Amino acid sequence: MSEQSSGCPCKNVECERHGKCEHCKTNHHSRGYLPACERLKDADGNAIMPVLGNFLVTQVAIIVRDIETTKNKFAAFFGVKPPVHFDGGEYSVTQTTYMGNPAPKAGCKLAFFNVGPNVQLELIEPNGEQSTWQDFLDTHGEGIHHIAFGVNNMDEKVAACESLGMICTQRGKYGDASGEYAYLDATADLKCFIELLEGYKK
Amino acid sequence: MSEQSSGCPCKNVECERHGKCEHCKTNHHSRGYLPACERLKDADGNAIMPVLGNFLVTQVAIIVRDIETTKNKFAAFFGVKPPVHFDGGEYSVTQTTYMGNPAPKAGCKLAFFNVGPNVQLELIEPNGEQSTWQDFLDTHGEGIHHIAFGVNNMDEKVAACESLGMICTQRGKYGDASGEYAYLDATADLKCFIELLEGYKK
């Protein structure tokens, strides 16, 4: 008796992993969502998917006052060469908005460490102008600011988060225009800020 | 000409990855440290290793006031079943110390979500008694508290962190006695708290 007939709800019978439960689960979990057999159902019997399409944390970011000093401390702690840090980008490229309004002065310096197969530790030094980064520094001081998730269809995902009561505090493009980000204040429900990241397909 | 003779500094010629640079790098990076060819050297020419033995972030933890409510919000956001939450454990097992002194009343509730191949999102609800968790809640409110790293030889690693100026705020065993943890206040240099985790070998 095949797994399908014994209860496997997957309809993708042509998948190379079909009938190989552990392979299937590992594959889905690694992509950040559950296989059909593990998905919850809503009241209408429809499978529930993650709001963002996945639940993979790809970055943990720390707001710092002096990126040069802190990146050197982390590099020594990790036994690696200090990464080059760089400017978040020119407004002509980033088109940063803060609380929905153009924020040409908002800026930061950035540095990244790889701290796992799918995770970066990010350091962010705000530039003193109003931004979601500066707000945090002014309110909380230096510390862990957000966790980030990769998404597709940014506008749709931001709207989905807003429909849950999250507040989109800042959006913009990467400094090299290769993608875009959005920050959501999810402190009411998730007790943290989250960032959505979307790299543009090449 | 072999890679070894062309400059590969690895002396482990019997390794199955020897001479296969990309395999070797991927293997070392996945374990959280650099291969010989990428390691920095100190003034005496000795290879520098991570202070903790690796630089893999395995947990990101959020301090919350009401774990039941917040875990349900995260579960809905991730499209997964809410995880069971549980008590951090009895003092007779945990032997919790706070700032070096016995802390029989310090406690919390815990819940975990898998958010990547090697990363968990942890929710922690302090119990109102003095602890590193309650300190954070009282000082900062709810929010992201720490990042965690797996280690071997806990005492040695805590001492190494202390020699760098970090302050060990709390230590204890897991509630099921299967391992132990230590919190380091690394806010002076790394601008965050870190947790070290050591599971005991079975």
Side-chain angles (χ1 to χ4, degrees), chain B residues 138-198:
Chain B
D138 293 344
T139 309
H140 298 277
E142 295 174 300
I144 306 175
H145 176 255
H146 70 260
I147 50 177
F149 301 85
V151 301
N152 294 318
N153 304 315
M154 180 66 82
D155 288 345
E156 175 190 306
K157 297 305 192 304
V158 169
C161 288
E162 288 178 325
S163 75
L164 294 172
M166 299 180 196
I167 300 160
C168 184
T169 59
Q170 186 170 315
R171 293 184 66 168
K173 292 189 180 179
Y174 303 166
D176 64 358
S178 66
E180 63 184 288
Y181 69 86
Y183 286 105
L184 281 304
D185 179 344
T187 53
D189 285 346
L190 305 185
K191 309 305 177 184
C192 64
F193 289 83
I194 63 172
E195 185 185 26
L196 313 188
L197 299 168
E198 180 169 18

Side-chain angles (χ1 to χ4, degrees), chain A residues 51 55 57 77 115 142 191, chain B residues 51 57 77-78 115 142 191:
Chain A
V51 171
F55 47 69
V57 170
F77 191 60
V115 292
E142 296 174 297
K191 310 306 177 183
Chain B
V51 171
V57 170
F77 191 59
F78 291 157
V115 292
E142 295 174 300
K191 309 305 177 184

Side-chain angles (χ1 to χ4, degrees), chain A residues 136 140-145 191-192, chain B residues 61-65 98 124 126 129-147 169-170 183 185 187 191-194:
Chain A
F136 185 86
H140 297 276
E142 296 174 297
I144 305 175
H145 177 256
K191 310 306 177 183
C192 64
Chain B
I62 302 178
I63 301 284
V64 303
R65 290 188 196 281
Y98 173 80
I124 304 172
E129 302 290 342
Q130 192 167 46
S131 68
T132 194
W133 310 304
Q134 190 67 45
D135 286 350
F136 186 86
L137 186 60
D138 293 344
T139 309
H140 298 277
E142 295 174 300
I144 306 175
H145 176 255
H146 70 260
I147 50 177
T169 59
Q170 186 170 315
Y183 286 105
D185 179 344
T187 53
K191 309 305 177 184
C192 64
F193 289 83
I194 63 172

Side-chain angles (χ1 to χ4, degrees), chain B residues 1-190:
Chain B
M1 194 166 68
S2 74
E3 288 188 90
Q4 176 75 7
S5 62
S6 68
C8 172
C10 175
K11 294 172 183 169
N12 190 5
V13 295
E14 293 181 1
C15 175
E16 62 181 355
R17 290 175 295 276
H18 195 76
K20 299 170 183 171
C21 289
E22 289 311 312
H23 279 212
C24 172
K25 287 179 183 175
T26 299
N27 175 269
H28 281 272
H29 296 177
S30 73
R31 289 188 286 158
Y33 57 95
L34 302 175
C37 62
E38 295 183 326
R39 268 176 229 158
L40 304 178
K41 301 283 194 303
D42 65 18
D44 297 324
N46 300 313
I48 293 173
M49 286 289 282
V51 171
L52 300 179
N54 73 83
F55 46 69
L56 297 180
V57 170
T58 59
Q59 292 179 340
V60 183
I62 302 178
I63 301 284
V64 303
R65 290 188 196 281
D66 178 347
I67 200 165
E68 177 77 27
T69 300
T70 306
K71 79 172 188 181
N72 287 334
K73 293 289 187 182
F74 263 108
F77 191 59
F78 291 157
V80 301
K81 195 174 165 186
V84 173
H85 68 261
F86 51 90
D87 191 85
E90 295 296 319
Y91 178 69
S92 59
V93 176
T94 62
Q95 296 292 302
T96 308
T97 60
Y98 173 80
M99 301 304 287
N101 299 311
K105 293 182 179 176
C108 67
K109 294 175 187 169
L110 301 165
F112 296 90
F113 293 89
N114 292 319
V115 292
N118 192 47
V119 187
Q120 292 179 313
L121 180 74
E122 178 181 17
L123 303 181
I124 304 172
E125 179 191 313
N127 70 347
E129 302 290 342
Q130 192 167 46
S131 68
T132 194
W133 310 304
Q134 190 67 45
D135 286 350
F136 186 86
L137 186 60
D138 293 344
T139 309
H140 298 277
E142 295 174 300
I144 306 175
H145 176 255
H146 70 260
I147 50 177
F149 301 85
V151 301
N152 294 318
N153 304 315
M154 180 66 82
D155 288 345
E156 175 190 306
K157 297 305 192 304
V158 169
C161 288
E162 288 178 325
S163 75
L164 294 172
M166 299 180 196
I167 300 160
C168 184
T169 59
Q170 186 170 315
R171 293 184 66 168
K173 292 189 180 179
Y174 303 166
D176 64 358
S178 66
E180 63 184 288
Y181 69 86
Y183 286 105
L184 281 304
D185 179 344
T187 53
D189 285 346
L190 305 185

